[in-house]
Amino acid sequence: MTIRRLSAVDAQTYWMSAKIPNDQFMLYGFDGVPANLDRALEEIRARAQGCPELTLRIRDRALGYPQWVTGEVSTDQLVVHDATGWPDCLATVAGLAADQLDARSMTWRLHVFCPVDDMPGGRKGVVAVMQVAHAVGDGIRSSAMAAQLFGRAAPVAPVEAPSSVKPLALPWLGYRAARAHRQLERDTAAGLVPPQADSRPALISNSRPEGSRTFRTVVRQRADIPGPTVTVGVLAAISAALSAHLREMGDDPALLGAEVPMAKQGPRRAHNHFGNVGVGLYPELGPAERVTRIAGDLADRRRRAAHPAMLAASRAFEAVPAPLLRWGVDQFDPSVRSPTVTGNTVVSSVNRGQADLYFGDAPVVLTAGYPGLSPMMGLTHGVHGIGDTVAISVHAAASAVGDADAYVERLAAAL
């Protein structure tokens, strides 16, 4: 693979990981135990070595943008943990966040638990958790990379090489972005484009993560989740559960909202091809109207994101010189708090495709994900489907939810 530099977005994600750890943890549960664990692990290592995206490392540089380089997939990237039951497995995975990857030596690591008793559905099987540096991919791309490990033939979609725009072009691109933004403002005032989502008051769920951290997962079938899409149906259930939980803790959830990662439109120009949008959760409305309003908010965010001003801003950002962007990241202070937020929880939703993955001869039966916490977000949710099975996952700090199991019980009932 030809050496290429990281895009500005991916470089920013990589540098920011030193301020806020951002490794992703993608869980896959398989029904049964392979006849030969060592052989299954070697198959996975061989698949990884044959996939260029799974051999990537980052070469950092003092002045320019970091570069993608390739290397051998080492045996250290496959770690077998002592066999445990499902609750102990989740507790171990929650603790893995304290050991972030150094993307200069490896961009992913696979944690294998075998055998695991009492998996959802009463199964005994294998749990494999892919830990991946966020710079190497967003949720969609990282899921495609994980699928390669477990035998899916579909290749990981290519990423366009960053444009060779020179820093001297930044003033011109900045001018074009400013002009496009003024057009966006005019189109918004004329009602042609939805307005930007309102910020919301920070609530207890936005507390700095402190105390114990909990991973929990509720499993449902797609047909059991009402709504025009799984994402909308789960957001409506989170609205009911979280508003009741926060109200019991003494908070006012009237303006409750969620921060939702949304794929960008157009060709993928970075490994991270998404933006976070704010969506209202409308806990005061009845179930049917709440679903309608949430679906409308998501549609509005997509319409606004499709405006040419967004592409113009991205092109200008790509021209920012690496030293200037790195200086900007260095100025970020994670200890500073804000009274307003984009959302009171994060809800990341990814459909991971057909149930065509295997660990050895054990077929996949569920997949889950646990979005990371941050200084202004002590509660996150993952919504991940494979085949007809959907896992709704919770990553919670005690400071943000108090009794995490009580909240998960509320969420399970709402679903």
Side-chain angles (χ1 to χ4, degrees):
M1 178 182 286
T2 303
I3 293 177
R4 55 188 172 89
R5 75 166 178 84
L6 273 67
S7 68
V9 170
D10 295 333
Q12 183 184 51
T13 302
Y14 168 62
W15 290 327
M16 187 62 76
S17 67
K19 301 271 187 175
I20 302 177
N22 59 17
D23 282 1
Q24 301 171 83
F25 291 87
M26 301 182 295
L27 181 149
Y28 293 80
F30 299 87
D31 189 11
V33 177
N36 188 319
L37 178 60
D38 289 338
R39 181 183 302 155
L41 291 171
E42 180 53 34
E43 288 175 354
I44 289 172
R45 195 199 67 78
R47 290 183 191 129
Q49 192 61 56
C51 174
E53 299 299 331
L54 288 164
T55 65
L56 291 178
R57 310 285 189 272
I58 291 178
R59 177 190 293 160
D60 208 350
R61 299 192 294 170
L63 295 178
Y65 276 100
Q67 295 174 326
W68 293 114
V69 296
T70 58
E72 293 292 317
V73 176
S74 70
T75 56
D76 293 342
Q77 290 180 252
L78 304 175
V79 181
V80 178
H81 295 262
D82 291 337
T84 60
W86 175 252
D88 291 335
C89 176
L90 290 187
T92 301
V93 176
L96 294 174
D99 184 16
Q100 295 281 301
L101 298 171
D102 181 350
R104 295 171 298 181
S105 58
M106 67 176 72
T107 54
W108 63 272
R109 179 187 285 139
L110 189 70
H111 303 271
V112 177
F113 302 80
C114 178
V116 176
D117 295 320
D118 301 322
M119 289 170 54
R123 297 179 175 89
K124 178 178 182 178
V126 178
V127 172
V129 180
M130 185 179 185
Q131 177 181 3
V132 58
H134 215 312
V136 84
D138 52 29
I140 294 174
R141 185 172 182 79
S142 295
S143 295
M145 291 168 59
Q148 289 277 301
L149 291 179
F150 304 124
R152 185 175 292 166
V156 179
V159 176
E160 289 188 10
S163 60
S164 58
V165 175
K166 303 300 183 183
L168 290 177
L170 181 58
W172 168 243
L173 292 172
Y175 165 75
R176 292 181 61 183
R179 186 176 61 183
H181 182 74
R182 288 192 294 272
Q183 184 62 51
L184 173 62
E185 291 179 326
R186 289 191 293 270
D187 291 344
T188 302
L192 302 176
V193 178
Q196 186 173 353
D198 293 331
S199 295
R200 302 174 186 279
L203 301 177
I204 294 173
S205 55
N206 297 107
S207 298
R208 188 184 306 280
E210 294 176 349
S212 61
R213 300 193 180 194
T214 300
F215 278 13
R216 293 290 185 270
T217 294
V218 179
V219 178
R220 293 287 186 269
Q221 294 300 298
R222 287 184 184 275
D224 296 334
I225 301 175
T229 67
V230 167
T231 301
V232 171
V234 172
L235 283 166
I238 289 171
S239 172
L242 185 54
S243 61
H245 195 79
L246 291 172
R247 196 175 292 113
E248 188 174 273
M249 296 179 72
D251 231 338
D252 179 7
L255 298 178
L256 188 69
E259 184 176 342
V260 180
M262 180 178 287
K264 291 183 178 180
Q265 301 186 33
R268 178 181 282 271
R269 301 175 62 85
H271 287 234
N272 285 272
H273 186 65
F274 74 100
N276 290 334
V277 300
V279 176
L281 292 183
Y282 308 103
E284 77 285 359
L285 300 180
E289 189 176 355
R290 182 187 308 145
V291 164
T292 299
R293 292 290 296 276
I294 290 172
D297 276 10
L298 287 169
D300 284 347
R301 296 306 108 222
R302 291 191 187 94
R303 285 178 56 204
R304 188 173 178 87
H307 193 278
M310 304 306 176
L311 178 59
S314 295
R315 293 289 174 85
F317 183 67
E318 282 294 332
V320 174
L324 180 58
L325 180 57
R326 192 163 196 165
W327 176 85
V329 172
D330 288 342
Q331 306 316 301
F332 175 76
D333 184 355
S335 69
V336 174
R337 296 191 59 77
S338 169
T340 60
V341 292
T342 302
N344 305 114
T345 184
V346 165
V347 181
S348 178
S349 182
V350 179
N351 183 349
R352 290 180 175 158
Q354 297 299 310
D356 56 354
L357 309 182
Y358 288 84
F359 189 102
D361 55 359
V364 70
V365 289
L366 68 93
T367 184
Y370 307 88
L373 306 182
S374 68
M376 286 296 299
M377 189 65 71
L379 172 66
T380 64
H381 299 78
V383 184
H384 297 90
I386 195 158
D388 292 324
T389 301
V390 179
I392 301 92
S393 303
V394 174
H395 183 186
S399 57
V401 299
D403 187 343
D405 285 325
Y407 170 65
V408 174
E409 286 179 10
R410 278 192 166 102
L411 179 59
L415 286 163

